[in-house]
Each structure stands twice: as C-alpha cells, then as structure tokens.
Amino acid sequence: MEIPYFPGCTLSTKAQGLDRSARASAQALGITLRELPDWNCCGAAFPLTNDDLRLAAAVRNLVQAGKMGDGRLLALCSTCYNVTKRANRVMREDTTRRERINFFIEADYSGQVEVVHLLDLLRDTLGFAALRERVVQPLSGLKLAAYYGCLLLRPAEEIALDDPENPHLFEDFLAALGAEAVVYPHRGECCGSYLAVGAPDVALEASYRILHSARLAGAEAIVTSCPLCHYNLDHPQREMVARYPGFRPLPVFYITQILGIALGLDASDFGFEKHNVDVRPLLARLSTTAG
C-alpha cells in the first residue's frame, strides 16, 4: 500500500525522530509513505475567523495529494492533521469560501481527498488485530499513557476521530502492541500549546498537571503524536523537578517510536538521544535496540 504523506515543517526539522520512525514502521507494515511533492506549511493553526487566505496553504497541499491518485492524505503531526482536515471540510461544505480559496491558489478543488491520521489508518485499514500479529517485540509490562491533547479530538464534529470525552482509539493501539494502556483524567487536556513561547509558566503548569495525572494513574511513560505537545511535556521536566516537590520525570515517546520498537526495528535513528527525559532505561526492560 502507498499513501500520500505530509510530514510538515516540524517533522522535517526538530521532530525528525517522529518522521523517521513513522517511515520505518509504516514500511515494516507494508505501507509506503509517499512524501507529498512540493509541500508547504499547513498554517500551523486553524484560523478563528473566516480568513480564507490562511486556509490556502493547507488546501494547496490537498490539491497536491489529489494529484497522486490514492484519494487520501496522511498527516501524522496532530496539528497538521487538525488544520488540514478542518480546511478540507470547509472546501467540501462551504461553496462561497471554496470558490474564493480556489481563486487564490488557482485550483479546482472540492474536498475530495480524505485526511487521515496514522491511528485511524491502522484501525480502519490494517486493523488492530492484524497489527497485533505483526508485533515482534511485545511491550509487555510497560504501562503507557496515551496523550491525545486538544487537536486529535476537537472540534468533535469536524475531527470525528473518536469520542472526545471518552476516547479509546489510542489505548486500543497501545494494547495491540502489548502494552498496558493507562487511562487518566488529563489525556485530552491542553499541554499549553504555543503559550510555551509567550507565557511559559502557564504552559509549564498545564503540562505538569498532565504528567502528574498520568503518574498517579500508574503510567511509566506518555505517548503522543504532536511535536509541540512532546516539547511541552518533555522539555521542562527538569524545571518541574525543582518547582514541584516530589515530582518524578516521566519519559515521553512519539507514537511511531513506540510502534517501531514493538515491530522489532533498529531504533538507533529514532532520535531518542534528543529527548530531555531519557527513554532508554525504560526500553532496556525489553530486548530491543533502543539506540
């Protein structure tokens, strides 16, 4: 199977571990990620007003995907997925805005591409039962907490990936890899997002609440698919140790890193050395090459 793939800006720079582990894991599952030719930034945030020009970048990527013939576009980054899927919905449902955006980018696109995330691709195309059969190194004994964040679930009527209040897709994925999926109250709460730049203390507090909640529920690590969430959860943990008495650091994985480990892949190129909280002691409990 081949599927058009939009890596986005961060996966091509700061989050290369997410990108590399995604390509390797997909290939091991018989899925080739065909990088979108001449792609551009999705816009990084869905506009809060009807500013059609701000949707033009995401729609241009969709036009490129439409030319590749598969009818789908995989966006792995939670932000890219959210922005692109919502832009696609505008093109499907709003004739006036569609005409304006097509005029801006000199295209004739009406939302015919389906925007997918790795999680629903694995659930709906491969199937978690089939994924379980492909596991070479079961993650038995690891207690992993799925972190959805805001953008994989909301707005619910536009994203429709899972129940925004009681999701289980991410947990089903982890269970298919052999891990114990830990359910905790803050798995759909915001990590602080871009407030990490303008109001870092606010983002730090938001991320601390998520990590603390996961730890109280018994998690040994958190798993996410969003580079910004990964940064907010992983990077400031040294400061959390100093600020919050009793806080213990919690490793943060990308979704495809943990997938690659379970598939028995060589993880030396997965970027673990760039994580602030070292994940390798946890992986040493498994007979894997963790880099």
Side-chain angles (χ1 to χ4, degrees), residues 129-201:
L131 175 60
R132 187 175 292 108
E133 293 177 358
R134 305 284 187 92
V135 169
V136 174
Q137 174 61 71
L139 305 183
S140 305
L142 293 189
K143 298 179 180 180
L144 303 180
Y147 178 63
Y148 294 86
C150 312
L151 300 179
L152 278 182
L153 299 172
R154 305 182 186 95
E157 68 279 4
E158 297 182 50
I159 300 302
L161 182 66
D162 204 351
D163 183 339
E165 301 302 326
N166 187 30
H168 59 85
L169 171 60
F170 212 146
E171 286 80 8
D172 291 346
F173 163 76
L174 294 175
L177 302 184
E180 179 182 339
V182 176
V183 176
Y184 62 109
H186 287 65
R187 57 194 169 135
E189 297 297 314
C190 181
C191 67
S193 186
Y194 294 109
L195 287 174
V197 177
D201 284 346

Coordinates of all heavy atoms in Angstrom, one line a residue, residues 129-201:
A129 N -6.2 -6.0 15.1 CA -5.9 -7.4 15.2 C -4.7 -7.8 14.3 O -3.8 -8.6 14.7 CB -7.1 -8.2 14.9
A130 N -4.7 -7.3 13.1 CA -3.6 -7.6 12.2 C -2.3 -6.9 12.7 O -1.2 -7.5 12.6 CB -3.9 -7.0 10.8
L131 N -2.4 -5.7 13.3 CA -1.2 -5.1 13.9 C -0.7 -6.0 15.0 O 0.6 -6.1 15.1 CB -1.6 -3.7 14.4 CG -0.5 -2.9 15.1 CD1 0.7 -2.7 14.2 CD2 -1.0 -1.6 15.7
R132 N -1.5 -6.5 15.8 CA -1.0 -7.3 16.9 C -0.3 -8.5 16.4 O 0.7 -8.9 17.0 CB -2.3 -7.8 17.7 CG -1.9 -8.5 19.0 CD -3.1 -8.8 19.8 NE -3.8 -7.7 20.4 CZ -4.9 -7.1 19.9 NH1 -5.6 -7.7 18.9 NH2 -5.4 -6.1 20.5
E133 N -0.7 -9.1 15.3 CA 0.1 -10.2 14.7 C 1.4 -9.8 14.1 O 2.3 -10.7 14.0 CB -0.8 -10.8 13.6 CG -2.1 -11.5 14.1 CD -3.0 -12.0 13.0 OE1 -2.6 -11.8 11.8 OE2 -4.0 -12.6 13.3
R134 N 1.6 -8.5 13.8 CA 2.9 -8.1 13.3 C 3.9 -7.7 14.4 O 5.1 -7.5 14.1 CB 2.7 -6.8 12.4 CG 1.7 -7.0 11.3 CD 2.2 -7.8 10.1 NE 1.3 -7.8 9.0 CZ 1.3 -6.9 8.0 NH1 2.2 -6.0 8.0 NH2 0.4 -7.0 7.0
V135 N 3.5 -7.7 15.6 CA 4.4 -7.3 16.7 C 5.4 -8.4 16.9 O 5.1 -9.6 17.0 CB 3.6 -7.1 18.0 CG1 4.5 -6.9 19.2 CG2 2.7 -5.8 17.8
V136 N 6.7 -7.9 16.9 CA 7.8 -8.8 17.1 C 8.3 -8.8 18.6 O 8.7 -9.8 19.2 CB 9.0 -8.4 16.2 CG1 10.2 -9.2 16.4 CG2 8.6 -8.6 14.7
Q137 N 8.3 -7.6 19.1 CA 8.7 -7.3 20.5 C 7.5 -6.7 21.3 O 7.3 -5.5 21.3 CB 9.9 -6.4 20.6 CG 10.3 -6.0 22.0 CD 10.7 -7.2 22.8 OE1 11.8 -7.7 22.6 NE2 9.9 -7.5 23.8
P138 N 6.7 -7.6 21.9 CA 5.5 -7.1 22.6 C 6.0 -6.1 23.7 O 7.0 -6.4 24.4 CB 4.9 -8.3 23.2 CG 5.3 -9.4 22.3 CD 6.7 -9.1 21.9
L139 N 5.3 -5.1 24.0 CA 5.6 -4.1 25.0 C 5.0 -4.6 26.4 O 4.6 -3.8 27.2 CB 5.1 -2.7 24.6 CG 5.5 -2.2 23.2 CD1 5.0 -0.8 23.0 CD2 7.0 -2.3 23.1
S140 N 5.1 -5.9 26.6 CA 4.6 -6.4 27.8 C 5.2 -5.8 29.1 O 6.5 -5.7 29.1 CB 4.8 -7.9 27.8 OG 4.2 -8.5 26.6
G141 N 4.4 -5.5 30.0 CA 5.0 -4.9 31.3 C 5.1 -3.4 31.3 O 5.4 -2.9 32.3
L142 N 5.0 -2.8 30.1 CA 5.1 -1.3 30.1 C 3.8 -0.7 30.2 O 2.8 -1.1 29.6 CB 5.7 -0.9 28.7 CG 7.2 -1.2 28.4 CD1 7.6 -0.5 27.2 CD2 8.1 -0.9 29.6
K143 N 3.7 0.2 31.2 CA 2.4 1.0 31.4 C 2.5 2.3 30.8 O 3.2 3.2 31.2 CB 2.2 1.1 33.0 CG 2.1 -0.2 33.7 CD 1.9 0.0 35.2 CE 1.8 -1.4 35.9 NZ 1.6 -1.2 37.4
L144 N 1.8 2.4 29.6 CA 1.9 3.6 28.8 C 0.6 4.4 28.8 O -0.5 3.9 28.7 CB 2.3 3.2 27.4 CG 3.6 2.4 27.2 CD1 3.8 2.1 25.7 CD2 4.8 3.1 27.8
A145 N 0.8 5.7 28.9 CA -0.4 6.6 28.9 C -0.5 7.4 27.6 O 0.4 8.1 27.2 CB -0.2 7.7 30.1
A146 N -1.6 7.1 26.9 CA -1.8 7.9 25.6 C -2.2 9.3 25.9 O -3.0 9.6 26.8 CB -3.0 7.2 24.9
Y147 N -1.5 10.2 25.2 CA -1.9 11.6 25.3 C -2.5 12.1 24.0 O -1.8 12.3 23.0 CB -0.7 12.5 25.7 CG -1.0 13.9 25.8 CD1 -2.0 14.4 26.8 CD2 -0.5 14.9 25.0 CE1 -2.3 15.7 26.8 CE2 -0.8 16.2 25.1 CZ -1.8 16.6 26.0 OH -2.1 17.9 26.1
Y148 N -3.8 12.4 24.0 CA -4.5 12.9 22.8 C -4.2 14.4 22.6 O -4.1 14.8 21.5 CB -6.0 12.6 22.9 CG -6.4 11.2 22.9 CD1 -6.4 10.4 24.1 CD2 -6.8 10.6 21.7 CE1 -6.9 9.1 24.1 CE2 -7.2 9.2 21.7 CZ -7.2 8.5 22.9 OH -7.7 7.2 22.9
G149 N -4.2 15.1 23.7 CA -4.2 16.5 23.6 C -5.5 17.1 23.0 O -6.5 16.4 23.0
C150 N -5.4 18.3 22.6 CA -6.6 19.0 22.1 C -7.0 18.6 20.7 O -8.1 18.3 20.3 CB -6.4 20.5 22.0 SG -5.8 21.3 23.5
L151 N -6.0 18.5 19.8 CA -6.2 18.6 18.4 C -6.6 17.2 17.7 O -7.1 17.2 16.6 CB -5.0 19.2 17.7 CG -4.7 20.6 18.1 CD1 -3.4 21.1 17.4 CD2 -5.9 21.5 17.9
L152 N -6.3 16.1 18.4 CA -6.7 14.8 17.8 C -8.2 14.6 18.0 O -8.8 13.7 17.4 CB -6.0 13.7 18.4 CG -4.6 13.4 17.9 CD1 -4.0 12.2 18.6 CD2 -4.6 13.1 16.4
L153 N -8.9 15.3 18.9 CA -10.2 15.1 19.3 C -11.2 16.2 19.0 O -12.4 16.0 18.9 CB -10.3 14.7 20.8 CG -9.5 13.5 21.2 CD1 -9.5 13.3 22.7 CD2 -10.1 12.2 20.6
R154 N -10.7 17.4 18.9 CA -11.6 18.6 18.8 C -11.2 19.5 17.7 O -10.1 19.6 17.3 CB -11.5 19.4 20.1 CG -11.7 18.6 21.4 CD -11.6 19.5 22.6 NE -11.7 18.7 23.9 CZ -10.7 18.2 24.6 NH1 -9.5 18.5 24.1 NH2 -10.9 17.6 25.7
P155 N -12.3 20.2 17.1 CA -13.7 20.1 17.5 C -14.3 18.8 17.0 O -14.0 18.3 16.0 CB -14.3 21.2 16.6 CG -13.2 22.1 16.2 CD -12.0 21.3 16.1
A156 N -15.1 18.2 17.9 CA -15.5 16.8 17.7 C -16.3 16.6 16.4 O -16.1 15.6 15.7 CB -16.4 16.4 18.9
E157 N -17.1 17.5 16.0 CA -17.9 17.4 14.8 C -17.1 17.5 13.6 O -17.5 17.0 12.5 CB -19.1 18.4 14.8 CG -18.7 19.8 14.6 CD -18.2 20.5 15.9 OE1 -18.1 19.8 17.0 OE2 -18.0 21.7 15.9
E158 N -15.9 18.1 13.7 CA -15.1 18.3 12.5 C -14.0 17.2 12.4 O -13.7 16.8 11.3 CB -14.4 19.7 12.5 CG -15.4 20.8 12.5 CD -14.7 22.2 12.4 OE1 -13.8 22.4 11.6 OE2 -15.1 23.1 13.2
I159 N -13.5 16.8 13.5 CA -12.4 15.8 13.5 C -12.9 14.4 13.5 O -12.5 13.6 12.7 CB -11.5 16.0 14.7 CG1 -10.8 17.5 14.7 CG2 -10.4 15.0 14.7 CD1 -10.1 17.8 13.4
A160 N -13.9 14.1 14.4 CA -14.6 12.8 14.4 C -13.6 11.6 14.4 O -13.9 10.6 13.7 CB -15.6 12.8 13.2
L161 N -12.5 11.7 15.1 CA -11.6 10.6 15.1 C -12.0 9.6 16.2 O -11.9 8.4 16.0 CB -10.2 11.1 15.4 CG -9.1 10.1 15.5 CD1 -8.9 9.4 14.1 CD2 -7.8 10.7 16.0
D162 N -12.6 10.1 17.3 CA -13.0 9.3 18.4 C -13.9 10.1 19.3 O -14.0 11.4 19.2 CB -11.8 8.8 19.2 CG -12.1 7.5 20.0 OD1 -13.3 7.1 20.1 OD2 -11.1 6.9 20.5
D163 N -14.5 9.5 20.3 CA -15.3 10.2 21.3 C -14.4 11.2 22.1 O -13.5 10.8 22.7 CB -15.9 9.2 22.3 CG -16.9 9.8 23.3 OD1 -16.8 11.0 23.5 OD2 -17.7 9.1 23.9
P164 N -14.7 12.5 22.0 CA -13.8 13.5 22.6 C -13.8 13.4 24.1 O -12.8 13.8 24.8 CB -14.3 14.8 22.1 CG -15.8 14.6 21.8 CD -15.8 13.1 21.3
E165 N -14.8 12.9 24.7 CA -14.9 12.8 26.2 C -14.4 11.4 26.7 O -14.0 11.4 27.9 CB -16.4 13.0 26.6 CG -16.9 14.4 26.2 CD -16.1 15.5 26.7 OE1 -15.5 15.5 27.8 OE2 -16.0 16.6 26.0
N166 N -14.6 10.4 26.0 CA -14.2 9.1 26.4 C -13.5 8.3 25.3 O -14.0 7.3 24.8 CB -15.4 8.3 27.0 CG -14.9 7.0 27.6 OD1 -13.8 6.9 28.1 ND2 -15.8 6.0 27.6
P167 N -12.4 8.8 24.8 CA -11.7 8.1 23.6 C -11.1 6.8 24.0 O -10.7 6.6 25.2 CB -10.7 9.1 23.2 CG -10.3 9.8 24.5 CD -11.6 9.9 25.3
H168 N -10.9 5.9 23.1 CA -10.2 4.7 23.3 C -9.3 4.2 22.2 O -8.6 3.2 22.3 CB -11.2 3.5 23.6 CG -12.2 3.3 22.5 ND1 -11.9 2.5 21.4 CD2 -13.5 3.8 22.3 CE1 -13.0 2.5 20.6 NE2 -13.9 3.2 21.1
L169 N -9.3 5.0 21.1 CA -8.5 4.6 19.9 C -7.1 4.5 20.2 O -6.4 3.5 19.9 CB -8.8 5.7 18.8 CG -7.9 5.6 17.6 CD1 -8.1 4.2 16.9 CD2 -8.2 6.7 16.6
F170 N -6.5 5.5 20.9 CA -5.1 5.5 21.2 C -4.8 4.3 22.2 O -3.8 3.6 22.0 CB -4.7 6.8 21.9 CG -3.3 7.3 21.6 CD1 -3.1 8.6 21.5 CD2 -2.3 6.4 21.5 CE1 -1.8 9.1 21.3 CE2 -1.0 6.9 21.3 CZ -0.7 8.2 21.2
E171 N -5.6 4.1 23.1 CA -5.4 3.0 24.1 C -5.5 1.6 23.4 O -4.8 0.7 23.7 CB -6.5 3.0 25.2 CG -6.2 4.1 26.2 CD -6.7 5.5 25.8 OE1 -7.4 5.6 24.7 OE2 -6.4 6.5 26.5
D172 N -6.4 1.5 22.4 CA -6.5 0.3 21.6 C -5.2 0.0 20.8 O -4.8 -1.2 20.7 CB -7.7 0.3 20.6 CG -9.1 0.3 21.4 OD1 -9.1 0.0 22.6 OD2 -10.1 0.6 20.7
F173 N -4.7 1.1 20.3 CA -3.4 1.0 19.6 C -2.3 0.4 20.5 O -1.6 -0.5 20.2 CB -3.0 2.3 19.0 CG -1.6 2.5 18.6 CD1 -1.1 1.9 17.5 CD2 -0.7 3.2 19.4 CE1 0.2 2.0 17.1 CE2 0.6 3.4 19.1 CZ 1.1 2.8 17.9
L174 N -2.2 1.0 21.7 CA -1.1 0.6 22.7 C -1.4 -0.8 23.1 O -0.4 -1.6 23.3 CB -1.1 1.5 23.9 CG -0.7 3.0 23.6 CD1 -0.8 3.8 24.9 CD2 0.7 3.1 23.1
A175 N -2.6 -1.2 23.3 CA -2.9 -2.6 23.7 C -2.5 -3.6 22.6 O -2.0 -4.7 22.9 CB -4.4 -2.7 24.0
A176 N -2.7 -3.2 21.4 CA -2.3 -4.0 20.2 C -0.8 -4.3 20.2 O -0.3 -5.3 19.7 CB -2.8 -3.4 18.9
L177 N 0.0 -3.4 20.8 CA 1.4 -3.5 20.8 C 1.9 -4.3 22.1 O 3.0 -4.6 22.2 CB 2.1 -2.1 20.9 CG 1.8 -1.2 19.7 CD1 2.6 0.1 19.8 CD2 2.0 -1.9 18.3
G178 N 0.9 -4.7 22.9 CA 1.2 -5.5 24.1 C 1.4 -4.7 25.3 O 1.6 -5.3 26.4
A179 N 1.3 -3.4 25.3 CA 1.5 -2.5 26.5 C 0.2 -2.5 27.3 O -0.9 -2.8 26.8 CB 1.8 -1.1 26.1
E180 N 0.3 -2.1 28.5 CA -0.8 -1.8 29.4 C -1.2 -0.3 29.2 O -0.4 0.5 29.6 CB -0.5 -2.1 30.8 CG -1.7 -1.8 31.8 CD -1.4 -2.1 33.2 OE1 -0.5 -2.8 33.5 OE2 -2.1 -1.5 34.1
A181 N -2.3 -0.1 28.6 CA -2.7 1.3 28.4 C -3.3 1.9 29.6 O -4.3 1.4 30.1 CB -3.7 1.4 27.2
V182 N -2.7 3.0 30.1 CA -3.2 3.6 31.4 C -4.2 4.7 31.0 O -3.9 5.6 30.2 CB -2.0 4.2 32.1 CG1 -2.5 5.0 33.4 CG2 -1.0 3.1 32.5
V183 N -5.3 4.7 31.6 CA -6.3 5.7 31.4 C -6.3 6.7 32.6 O -6.2 6.3 33.7 CB -7.7 5.1 31.3 CG1 -8.8 6.2 31.2 CG2 -7.8 4.2 30.1
Y184 N -6.2 8.0 32.2 CA -6.1 9.0 33.3 C -6.9 10.2 32.9 O -7.2 10.5 31.7 CB -4.6 9.4 33.5 CG -3.9 9.9 32.3 CD1 -3.5 11.3 32.2 CD2 -3.6 9.2 31.2 CE1 -2.9 11.8 31.1 CE2 -3.0 9.7 30.1 CZ -2.6 11.0 30.0 OH -2.0 11.6 28.9
P185 N -7.3 11.1 33.8 CA -8.2 12.1 33.5 C -7.8 13.2 32.5 O -8.6 13.8 31.9 CB -8.5 12.8 34.9 CG -8.1 11.7 35.9 CD -7.0 11.0 35.2
H186 N -6.5 13.4 32.5 CA -6.0 14.6 31.7 C -5.5 14.2 30.3 O -4.8 15.0 29.6 CB -4.8 15.3 32.5 CG -5.3 16.0 33.7 ND1 -5.8 15.4 34.8 CD2 -5.2 17.4 34.0 CE1 -6.1 16.3 35.7 NE2 -5.8 17.5 35.2
R187 N -5.9 13.1 29.8 CA -5.3 12.7 28.5 C -5.8 13.5 27.3 O -5.2 13.5 26.2 CB -5.7 11.2 28.2 CG -7.1 10.9 28.3 CD -7.4 9.4 28.4 NE -8.8 9.1 28.7 CZ -9.5 8.2 28.1 NH1 -8.9 7.4 27.1 NH2 -10.7 8.0 28.4
G188 N -6.9 14.3 27.5 CA -7.4 15.1 26.4 C -7.3 16.6 26.8 O -7.8 17.5 26.0
E189 N -6.6 16.9 27.8 CA -6.4 18.3 28.2 C -5.2 19.0 27.4 O -4.3 18.3 26.9 CB -6.1 18.4 29.7 CG -7.2 17.9 30.6 CD -8.5 18.7 30.5 OE1 -8.4 19.9 30.5 OE2 -9.6 18.1 30.3
C190 N -5.3 20.3 27.4 CA -4.3 21.0 26.6 C -2.9 21.1 27.4 O -2.9 21.3 28.6 CB -4.7 22.5 26.3 SG -3.6 23.5 25.4
C191 N -1.8 20.9 26.7 CA -0.5 21.0 27.3 C 0.0 22.4 27.4 O 1.1 22.6 28.0 CB 0.5 20.2 26.5 SG 0.8 20.9 24.8
G192 N -0.7 23.4 26.9 CA -0.3 24.8 26.9 C 0.0 25.3 25.5 O 0.1 26.5 25.3
S193 N 0.3 24.4 24.6 CA 0.4 24.7 23.2 C 1.5 25.8 23.0 O 2.5 25.8 23.6 CB -0.9 25.1 22.6 OG -0.8 25.3 21.2
Y194 N 1.1 26.9 22.2 CA 2.1 27.9 21.9 C 2.3 28.9 23.1 O 3.1 29.8 23.0 CB 1.6 28.7 20.7 CG 1.6 27.9 19.4 CD1 0.4 27.4 18.8 CD2 2.8 27.5 18.8 CE1 0.4 26.7 17.7 CE2 2.8 26.7 17.7 CZ 1.6 26.3 17.1 OH 1.7 25.5 16.0
L195 N 1.6 28.7 24.2 CA 1.8 29.5 25.3 C 3.2 29.3 25.9 O 3.8 30.0 26.7 CB 0.8 29.2 26.4 CG -0.6 29.8 26.2 CD1 -1.5 29.3 27.3 CD2 -0.6 31.3 26.1
A196 N 3.8 28.1 25.4 CA 5.2 27.9 25.8 C 6.2 29.0 25.4 O 7.2 29.2 26.0 CB 5.7 26.5 25.2
V197 N 5.8 29.7 24.4 CA 6.6 30.9 23.9 C 6.2 32.1 24.6 O 7.1 32.9 25.1 CB 6.4 31.0 22.4 CG1 7.2 32.3 21.9 CG2 6.8 29.8 21.6
G198 N 4.9 32.5 24.7 CA 4.5 33.8 25.3 C 4.3 33.8 26.7 O 4.4 34.8 27.4
A199 N 3.9 32.6 27.3 CA 3.6 32.5 28.7 C 4.1 31.2 29.2 O 3.3 30.3 29.6 CB 2.1 32.7 29.0
P200 N 5.4 30.9 29.3 CA 5.9 29.6 29.6 C 5.5 29.1 30.9 O 5.4 27.9 31.1 CB 7.4 29.8 29.5 CG 7.6 31.3 29.6 CD 6.4 31.9 29.0
D201 N 5.3 29.9 31.9 CA 4.8 29.4 33.2 C 3.4 28.8 33.1 O 3.1 27.8 33.8 CB 4.8 30.6 34.2 CG 6.2 30.9 34.7 OD1 7.1 30.2 34.5 OD2 6.3 32.0 35.3

